[in-house]
Amino acid sequence: MKPLLEVCVVSVESAKTAEAVEAQRVELCDNLWEGGTTPSIGMISNVRKAIDIGIYVLIRPRGGDFIYSDAEFDVMKDDIIAAKKAGADGIVSGVLYPDGTVDVDRTSELVELAKPLPFTFHRAFDCVNDPVKGLNDVISTGASRVLTSGLASKAVDGIDTLANLQDTYGHEIEILVGGGITSENIAQIASETNCREFHLTGKKWQKSSIQYLPAVKMNGLQELPENDYLAASEEELKKVRLILDTL
């Protein structure tokens, strides 16, 4: 069975691109520059209409840390219910304690609410203080997989940890590798970790079609382009798919 490619997307168009390059699944979210937040119900339902491959929906009420108030946790639970109704095939989420350990009780509640859909514990895992204890905690919640870069900013820098987690726990939980994966490093990551599932955006800046440039600035993040937006690069994703198919 060929390695699984999951593409992180924020639009219907990017979801179609992922399907066109034969990705097996998308993770649907919003606000990539914040590490991803929960997409709208309209986005979920329209992506569901547009593609036939799997759609895993990110449940994250805001950017920042993964420690949530009671009000935020209620939002997450309602979002899981709504995402299931809108056609999600899986849920991506997770909760931490302030000390860098997995909030097993709250995450277990989300896993239970997501059933019968599979549950991915997202890259909150890369913020735990101990990857071995952290992964055992994730396993205890009933999650199907964990998305991780091996506790590094980029997966290529976390290869040793990823390889250890895959070797030790790969029979208990799926290790989905993500974090800075490109066509330049995926072969190395795959061969040195023995993991079989990979997550990336393959993103590029899509130039705006705007003709009139107003003086007003809407973007509060000065380092980001004002009118351009992120989209999946079909060229990059094709390269990644080809590399994975030759492994």
Side-chain angles (χ1 to χ4, degrees):
M1 187 174 180
K2 65 182 181 181
L4 185 141
L5 174 60
E6 176 182 276
V7 181
C8 182
V9 302
V10 295
S11 68
V12 175
E13 291 77 12
S14 288
K16 288 180 177 180
T17 298
E19 184 173 57
V21 302
E22 300 183 7
Q24 293 99 321
R25 190 169 68 218
V26 299
E27 182 199 280
L28 182 61
C29 66
D30 199 359
N31 298 319
L32 280 177
W33 53 87
E34 289 192 282
T37 58
T38 306
S40 72
I41 295 304
M43 181 62 73
I44 300 169
S45 61
N46 278 275
V47 169
R48 178 72 289 164
K49 294 172 188 175
I51 64 173
D52 294 321
I53 60 175
I55 302 171
Y56 280 30
V57 174
L58 178 63
I59 303 297
R60 187 182 179 212
R62 56 164 171 77
D65 63 32
F66 303 95
I67 305 153
Y68 301 112
S69 68
D70 290 343
E72 288 172 329
F73 191 62
D74 286 341
V75 170
M76 295 169 75
K77 291 187 288 185
D78 285 350
D79 279 341
I80 288 177
I81 294 169
K84 290 170 69 176
K85 290 180 179 177
D89 296 304
I91 298 297
V92 183
S93 194
V95 186
L96 298 182
Y97 285 121
D99 66 355
T101 59
V102 175
D103 186 334
V104 172
D105 290 339
R106 276 184 160 184
T107 301
S108 296
E109 190 173 346
L110 298 182
V111 172
E112 188 65 28
L113 192 59
K115 289 181 178 178
L117 303 185
F119 187 98
T120 300
F121 192 95
H122 58 31
R123 284 194 66 198
F125 180 79
D126 291 322
C127 298
V128 299
N129 59 28
D130 182 335
V132 173
K133 181 184 185 305
L135 192 54
N136 277 292
D137 285 343
V138 170
I139 291 170
S140 75
T141 69
S144 307
R145 60 180 40 78
V146 60
L147 170 61
T148 177
S149 59
L151 279 65
S153 295
K154 296 182 178 180
V156 72
D157 298 319
I159 283 177
D160 290 345
T161 298
L162 289 166
N164 180 57
L165 295 178
Q166 174 66 25
D167 183 59
T168 308
Y169 299 100
H171 63 289
E172 296 183 62
I173 190 170
E174 195 69 48
I175 308 296
L176 171 62
V177 182
I181 293 180
T182 70
S183 58
E184 298 296 322
N185 60 31
I186 193 165
Q188 177 190 0
I189 294 169
S191 64
E192 295 184 19
T193 64
N194 291 318
C195 293
R196 300 292 293 174
E197 294 196 358
F198 303 92
H199 166 106
L200 70 155
T201 59
K203 60 182 180 291
K204 65 175 181 180
W205 283 107
Q206 183 70 39
K207 296 297 294 182
S208 170
S209 61
I210 192 169
Q211 294 179 335
Y212 169 69
L213 292 175
V216 65
K217 299 296 182 183
M218 300 291 186
N219 183 0
L221 299 175
Q222 297 301 318
E223 65 272 21
L224 297 179
E226 180 67 25
N227 297 296
D228 301 341
Y229 55 94
L230 289 171
S233 166
E234 184 171 359
E235 180 182 5
E236 171 68 1
L237 293 176
K238 279 182 176 179
K239 290 179 182 177
V240 169
R241 179 75 272 175
L242 180 62
I243 293 167
L244 287 178
D245 288 348
T246 61
L247 294 178

